[in-house]
Amino acid sequence: MTTSKTMLPAADHAVRQDIDQLHADAIELACRTKALASALDHGDYSAAGGRVRAAVTHIWRATEDLHSAFHTAPPRCAGPDASLSRLCGRRMRYLAARVARKVE
């Protein structure tokens, strides 16, 4: 079986939305895992807390990888030669707007 471009999603934004959702889920998982590690750090569960804290590190690295992946799938309007700083600035503005919508 060969892969062709026709098997990819028709719009680049669909891929970016999938990556963005995975990134948001990973951030949420990292926060929940960190809270669990803090709760386990006391008493008899301190060894488990250390292992859960190590998992937070791995999840956070995966989140950073997803953030990088988001930039390798630039929006069509930016073009393939858009600078990383331009894309990162756009991403940060997007995330700020998304958080503001959740707070309201």
Side-chain angles (χ1 to χ4, degrees):
M1 176 184 221
T2 61
T3 57
S4 67
K5 290 192 176 228
T6 58
M7 294 178 68
L8 296 174
D12 291 339
H13 72 277
V15 172
R16 291 174 56 82
Q17 287 173 341
D18 288 345
I19 293 170
D20 182 54
Q21 185 59 52
L22 287 171
H23 182 258
D25 293 346
I27 289 173
E28 181 183 341
L29 179 61
C31 291
R32 288 185 10 233
T33 306
K34 181 182 174 191
L36 177 62
S38 295
L40 292 174
D41 275 343
H42 306 289
D44 295 336
Y45 298 105
S46 61
R51 289 188 180 261
V52 173
R53 192 167 304 283
V56 171
T57 303
H58 294 295
I59 295 167
W60 190 251
R61 285 185 187 139
T63 301
E64 290 173 346
D65 288 340
L66 287 168
H67 179 82
S68 295
F70 185 88
H71 293 304
T72 61
R76 281 180 268 172
C77 62
D81 298 326
S83 68
L84 185 59
S85 62
R86 178 176 172 212
L87 294 173
C88 194
R90 172 179 283 174
R91 173 76 175 147
M92 293 302 110
R93 287 190 302 278
Y94 168 76
L95 288 175
R98 185 173 170 178
V99 168
R101 282 193 306 261
K102 283 185 175 183
V103 171
E104 293 175 350

